[in-house]
Amino acid sequence: MSSQCPIAIDPMVGDLAGETARLRDAGPITRIDLMGVTVWTVTDHALARQLTTDTRLVKDINAWKLFADGVVGNQWPLIGMVDVDRSMFSVDGAEHRRLRLKTAQALAPRRLEELRPRIEALTAELLDDLAAAGADGTPVDLKQVFAYPLPMRVVGDLMGVAREDHAQLLDWYKKFFSVMTPQDERLRVIGELDVYFTDQVRKKIADPGDDLTSAFVVADEGGEALTEEEAIGNIKALVAAGHETTVSLIVNTVRALLNEPEQLAKVLAGEVDWKQVIEESLRWDGPVSHLLMRFATEDITVGETVIAKGEGVVMSYRAVGRDFAVHGETADEFDVTRSTANRHLAFGYGPHICPGAALSRLEAAIALPALFARFPNLRLAVPDSELGNLPVLTQNDLAALPITLN
């Protein structure tokens, strides 16, 4: 049975751990208040798996009654995350498979291995930058100098986005995700992103290169070309998701390890594999707190709860990762030896599972061991209690991670 009074999701992310516990304790499905809009959220591992494969829940915002009735519109701060361009992120069924095909091909295991040398080179370059910034014990923000630029450079290379544009893109996305951005400014940013990525797609239509954006707009043996609108929607979402999730994965893993020196010692001694560390980090403190949104095309009964036709459903993946039924009484603890570490849904599940999950894991698997090999005496420069998240409701996005190298 769900609680009837919606749990307010704190847009300032002041107590993420407390909020996660409250959501989990409210039951497998409960109502939440997302900045003035009431929707359902799922906090149970098994139920999340069930509903992310339920064809009665769709990504088409036109199925959302609050949107269709005009209750939710452009002034809702989260509208840009659910009212999106036509892309693999906003359609279902056969159309979703068509729009996802070339991305899946570009991120297939063999193609990812071809990216490995490039990711290793970028990691080495950024470790040099980190060494320079943190010379003589000077505190340095690991996120800003290392974790932020690495995935943006990787996804930029993949999509054919010039490096000189990265700073502008990072600034746009920071404003887009922050709940502190005035809505008129956020809408302006959305418009600027539209203009930028429209220009990128049109350049690739005129002069295709060896990148995923070009693959979207060129018909070949890998499939038909996407329309301009579809290509823009795909590249815009992929660049956003392709850097944000990996930034958080790297930062959150480093933070967790620095707070557990005995576990870190086991990792550095080779007693625990980095793959296991990454999976436990994804489970315990994953990049996505609340994934927006699916909409019911008919009434869906879940135990004693009915998700009515037209209602919105959010997956609270951070709470799902702390499910006692899956991970036992220690679910709230970080433990790199946990046998159930890989039983999480940090990248989603079902048809809409994150297409860049394998790439994010690869980047972390290269960046993290290289970081600790180069700086084995890495330490937090401030008490952990002083660390806090950015005011981003959907992403688990630490504001900064000040560290010392020696």
Side-chain angles (χ1 to χ4, degrees):
M1 189 75 173
S2 69
S3 61
Q4 295 304 305
C5 182
I7 297 174
I9 302 302
D10 178 14
M12 299 306 295
V13 200
D15 179 18
L16 186 57
E19 179 179 274
T20 298
R22 287 190 294 276
L23 289 171
R24 180 186 56 196
D25 294 346
I29 183 168
T30 189
R31 288 190 183 276
I32 58 173
D33 183 305
L34 285 179
M35 303 189 75
V37 174
T38 299
V39 299
W40 292 101
T41 196
V42 178
T43 64
D44 175 86
H45 182 102
L47 184 57
R49 284 171 60 103
Q50 174 188 327
L51 291 179
T52 49
T53 57
D54 193 320
T55 57
R56 296 171 295 176
L57 285 171
V58 301
K59 301 291 285 187
D60 182 1
I61 192 174
N62 294 297
W64 191 15
K65 190 174 187 302
L66 293 178
F67 181 79
D69 292 348
V71 176
V72 171
N74 276 350
Q75 289 307 307
W76 185 48
L78 303 177
I79 192 66
M81 298 185 189
V82 290
D83 186 14
V84 296
D85 302 301
R86 179 178 176 79
S87 73
M88 61 180 161
F89 299 93
S90 61
V91 298
D92 298 279
E95 278 297 273
H96 170 257
R97 291 189 291 273
R98 179 181 70 84
L99 294 177
R100 187 182 174 109
L101 176 62
K102 290 192 175 185
T103 301
Q105 292 170 338
L107 298 176
R110 178 181 61 82
R111 295 295 299 273
L112 287 180
E113 279 305 306
E114 293 173 358
L115 291 175
R116 181 182 291 275
R118 177 60 177 156
I119 298 172
E120 291 173 340
L122 289 171
T123 298
E125 177 184 326
L126 289 168
L127 288 175
D128 287 343
D129 292 346
L130 192 63
D136 302 321
T138 303
V140 57
D141 181 2
L142 183 76
K143 178 180 177 180
Q144 187 66 33
V145 179
F146 182 70
Y148 228 156
L150 176 61
M152 178 55 83
R153 292 182 189 181
V154 172
V155 76
D157 286 353
L158 181 69
M159 304 305 298
V161 174
R163 185 177 291 193
E164 56 265 28
D165 295 341
H166 292 184
Q168 177 63 77
L169 285 167
L170 289 169
D171 180 64
W172 277 332
Y173 281 120
K174 185 175 182 180
K175 291 175 180 175
F176 172 77
F177 284 113
S178 175
V179 299
M180 297 299 291
T181 303
Q183 185 62 2
D184 288 347
E185 183 178 357
R186 181 179 290 105
L187 293 173
R188 177 183 60 77
V189 166
I190 292 172
E192 290 173 337
L193 284 165
D194 285 341
V195 170
Y196 176 82
F197 284 117
T198 298
D199 182 61
Q200 290 290 302
V201 167
R202 289 176 178 173
K203 285 179 179 177
K204 298 301 181 181
I205 292 173
D207 184 20
D210 184 20
D211 54 70
L212 183 51
T213 304
S214 296
F216 286 153
V217 299
V218 174
D220 56 23
E221 66 278 5
E224 64 182 274
L226 305 188
T227 67
E228 180 179 289
E229 178 191 7
E230 292 166 347
I232 293 167
N234 270 4
I235 181 177
K236 188 161 62 174
L238 281 168
V239 172
H243 82 273
E244 280 287 339
T245 53
T246 309
V247 171
S248 295
L249 173 54
I250 292 172
V251 169
N252 293 349
T253 305
V254 172
R255 178 189 186 183
L257 288 172
L258 294 183
N259 278 311
E260 297 290 345
E262 292 184 2
Q263 295 192 47
L264 176 58
K266 290 182 179 180
V267 177
L268 298 184
E271 297 175 25
V272 179
D273 188 82
W274 278 103
K275 179 180 178 181
Q276 172 79 2
V277 176
I278 290 167
E279 296 308 313
E280 174 64 356
S281 178
L282 286 167
R283 177 204 73 82
W284 184 71
D285 201 23
V288 177
S289 302
H290 312 286
L291 187 67
L292 311 186
M293 188 181 306
R294 289 171 168 82
F295 312 101
T297 56
E298 60 182 81
D299 289 357
I300 301 173
T301 300
V302 179
E304 299 180 17
T305 297
V306 176
I307 304 169
K309 177 181 178 179
E311 289 192 309
V313 179
V314 169
M315 299 295 161
S316 288
Y317 283 130
R318 194 173 190 276
V320 168
R322 306 290 186 96
D323 190 335
F324 290 135
V326 177
H327 304 291
E329 294 181 359
T330 63
D332 285 327
E333 300 175 13
F334 178 75
D335 180 4
V336 296
T337 67
R338 185 182 303 278
S339 62
T340 60
N342 63 348
R343 294 189 61 194
H344 62 77
L345 306 179
F347 289 114
Y349 186 75
H352 282 280
I353 190 170
C354 176
L359 177 58
S360 184
R361 285 183 168 104
L362 176 62
E363 291 177 64
I366 292 171
L368 289 166
L371 172 68
F372 281 98
R374 179 77 176 267
F375 307 110
N377 296 316
L378 199 69
R379 295 290 184 272
L380 290 177
V382 299
D384 185 78
S385 59
E386 294 185 14
L387 301 177
N389 277 39
L390 287 172
V392 178
L393 188 146
T394 54
Q395 305 298 117
N396 183 9
D397 196 357
L398 202 64
L401 188 64
I403 50 92
T404 56
L405 304 179
N406 298 294

